[in-house]
Amino acid sequence: MRATDWLLVLAFLPSIVLSQHVDICNAKPKDLPLEPRCSYRSPDVETPDDHTPEPEVVPESTNPRVWELSKANSHFALSFYKHLAVSRKTEENIFMSPISISTAFAMTKLGACNRTLEQIMKVFQFDTIKEKTSDQVHFFFAKLNCRLYRKKDKTTELVSANRLFGEKSLFFNETFQNLSEMVYGAKLLPLNFKMNPEQARITINDWISNKTEDRIRDTLPTGVLDSNTILVLVNTIYFKGQWKKKFDKKAVFSSDFQVSSSRTCQVNMMFQETKFKYKHFPEDEVQVLEMPYRGDDITMVIILPSRDTSLSQVEESLNLKKLNGWLDQMTETSVSVSMPRFKVEDNFNLKEMLQELGLTDLFSAENASLPGILEDDSDGLFISNAYHKAFLEVNEEGSEAAAATAVLAVGRSFNPYREVFQADRPFLLFIRESTINTLLFSGRVVDPCDQ
């Protein structure tokens, strides 16, 4: 009978520094004592003699394994998004950070063994990187994080924070703590779950709220912690950026947004005409636009279905190969862009969807294997639940909040050679680190009304 459980939580917020003991960004594998309780080696897959895959072009100054891990995260991102989209009503917005979810479960992998470890490797596609042992995934995650969270531009913030909140009466495995802090910057803070789980919940929610300037509140719902909880893991990511080419506030105008075939609403539509990476793909019935933030490394990609094509049709057929194919074919083009100001806030329980993807043992009191968490190698732990909460606001400046205005756009020059990108109907969006194509955030904007 397993009396204890482990609760995993995900949210978004700023600020973190990695362990002071190791310069993780300049370290080599031999410099990091990556020896978690267990490791898993992916089986070698035989390639037919008549099939030799084409060598992949890895971006300059990029570790090939980091590149592969970035791809694995993006594969997971689209797989998870499609599961989430199917579970939602067609008129619901979606917003999440797949890299945040992947990072959190990579951290759980530090204490996992047996089939639990194998399922984490497979569901998050960590087993697709050529360095097949699971302990090396942590090294490449550290390198990926160094690449992602380096300073892009003085106006751009992309930062990640992780924290462990553990039951104060228990002794946590020293290796687990050291690796969590060294690789992921997740330091352990003792709390009294056993005697006062509600106060522990408030403490964790307050920590998240304070770090996000009250953007993210009440991540942990009432009642999710009890006296059996021993560990809460909080993984966070936060982005704020200004457009490289800002929208003119004087060009904001009121317009209809077609939420569905039977419903429209009034929105504040932003407008600019300039050069962006863009392409129309008539065979896929989509237009794709990429708008960079200052610093160029981080961009927003918007996928706009044709007027007679539903967003669900695009979602169903989307995969990483198709998305990358679109991105590779885009070129700098004069584009007349109209898009709404919008806010998207989302929160959901991860457990059911991850179980559908194959991550079953981790959430099972009978089958979970997490002996690397506690000092006594106890194997009586499982994850009771996992939560994710995210927020995005887009306006003329970028992701910075601004007062509402409704000014008719006048005096636009007409360029007969421009393309027209009018996002007045539901669309997909991705915020990515473009140099290594890591999907940081993903979602859909179906209902931008009441902004």
Side-chain angles (χ1 to χ4, degrees), residues 190-410:
L191 291 178
N192 194 343
F193 295 113
K194 188 172 293 186
M195 300 299 295
N196 198 341
E198 178 60 16
Q199 183 56 52
R201 184 186 73 88
I202 293 171
T203 298
I204 295 168
N205 280 347
D206 285 348
W207 185 80
I208 294 171
S209 180
N210 288 337
K211 293 291 185 179
T212 58
E213 300 179 359
D214 290 333
R215 287 286 189 170
I216 303 294
R217 296 183 179 183
D218 302 321
T219 302
L220 286 175
T222 302
V224 298
L225 301 185
D226 59 29
S227 59
N228 291 325
T229 301
I230 69 163
L231 185 68
V232 173
L233 184 153
V234 179
N235 171 262
T236 68
I237 186 172
Y238 174 78
F239 169 69
K240 181 174 74 174
Q242 292 185 12
W243 298 121
K244 184 176 182 181
K245 299 173 182 177
K246 296 181 182 180
F247 290 87
D248 186 349
K249 292 183 179 182
K250 295 179 181 179
V252 175
F253 62 100
S254 181
S255 180
D256 284 338
F257 189 94
Q258 191 78 42
V259 177
S260 66
S261 58
S262 60
R263 181 186 166 214
T264 62
C265 69
Q266 287 283 301
V267 295
N268 289 316
M269 194 73 76
M270 305 181 295
F271 173 85
Q272 67 170 297
E273 186 176 309
T274 189
K275 283 192 173 183
F276 288 116
K277 283 190 175 181
Y278 166 87
K279 192 167 179 65
H280 178 213
F281 297 92
E283 67 280 8
D284 295 311
E285 299 182 287
V286 296
Q287 294 172 270
V288 185
L289 176 75
E290 183 168 27
M291 299 189 298
Y293 291 91
R294 289 184 61 174
D296 287 319
D297 287 352
I298 301 177
T299 67
M300 178 181 286
V301 176
I302 299 179
I303 300 171
L304 181 66
S306 301
R307 292 197 179 277
D308 57 352
T309 302
S310 70
L311 188 63
S312 60
Q313 288 176 260
V314 177
E315 289 174 333
E316 288 169 10
S317 64
L318 188 60
N319 55 45
L320 188 59
K321 182 178 179 180
K322 178 177 283 190
L323 177 60
N324 287 344
W326 289 341
L327 294 172
D328 289 342
Q329 295 178 64
M330 295 168 68
T331 58
E332 287 281 335
T333 307
S334 291
V335 190
S336 171
V337 177
S338 301
M339 63 178 292
R341 291 176 180 161
F342 64 88
K343 296 179 185 177
V344 185
E345 187 168 4
D346 205 354
N347 63 88
F348 48 87
N349 188 313
L350 292 164
K351 179 178 177 179
E352 184 176 339
M353 280 168 287
L354 290 175
Q355 287 176 319
E356 290 174 0
L357 289 171
L359 193 64
T360 56
D361 286 12
L362 194 63
F363 298 102
S364 167
E366 291 74 30
N367 299 325
S369 179
L370 295 165
I373 305 298
L374 296 177
E375 195 61 61
D376 62 0
D377 293 341
S378 170
D379 202 13
L381 310 179
F382 70 101
I383 291 183
S384 61
N385 239 320
Y387 296 91
H388 189 71
K389 196 165 188 176
F391 172 87
L392 174 68
E393 181 171 353
V394 171
N395 57 37
E396 300 93 324
E397 298 289 324
S399 60
E400 192 77 24
T405 52
V407 180
L408 180 64
V410 295

Side-chain angles (χ1 to χ4, degrees), residues 50 52 62 78 99 114 157 168 206 263 308-309 333 377 380:
D50 59 348
T52 302
T62 301
L78 292 178
I99 189 68
N114 304 318
E157 291 182 70
K168 61 185 293 187
D206 285 348
R263 181 186 166 214
D308 57 352
T309 302
T333 307
D377 293 341

Side-chain angles (χ1 to χ4, degrees), residues 404-449:
T405 52
V407 180
L408 180 64
V410 295
R412 302 178 195 166
S413 60
F414 180 73
N415 176 1
Y417 303 105
R418 83 206 189 295
E419 298 286 347
V420 176
F421 188 92
Q422 189 169 355
D424 58 358
R425 54 197 182 275
F427 56 85
L428 293 174
L429 70 86
F430 298 96
I431 297 177
R432 68 171 186 144
E433 209 285 353
S434 60
T435 62
I436 49 175
N437 196 24
T438 300
L439 299 183
L440 304 170
F441 302 93
S442 58
R444 70 185 185 197
V445 178
V446 179
D447 185 355
C449 311

Side-chain angles (χ1 to χ4, degrees), residues 10 12 69-70 72-74 76-77 96-106 124 126 141 144-145 148-149 158 160 162 235-237 388 431 438-442:
L10 301 101
F12 300 112
L69 179 58
S70 177
N73 285 328
S74 295
F76 166 75
M96 65 171 185
S97 172
I99 189 68
S100 176
I101 300 171
S102 292
T103 302
F105 283 89
F124 294 93
F126 300 145
F141 238 113
L144 177 61
N145 289 339
L148 293 178
Y149 304 118
L158 177 64
S160 177
N162 306 297
N235 171 262
T236 68
I237 186 172
H388 189 71
I431 297 177
T438 300
L439 299 183
L440 304 170
F441 302 93
S442 58

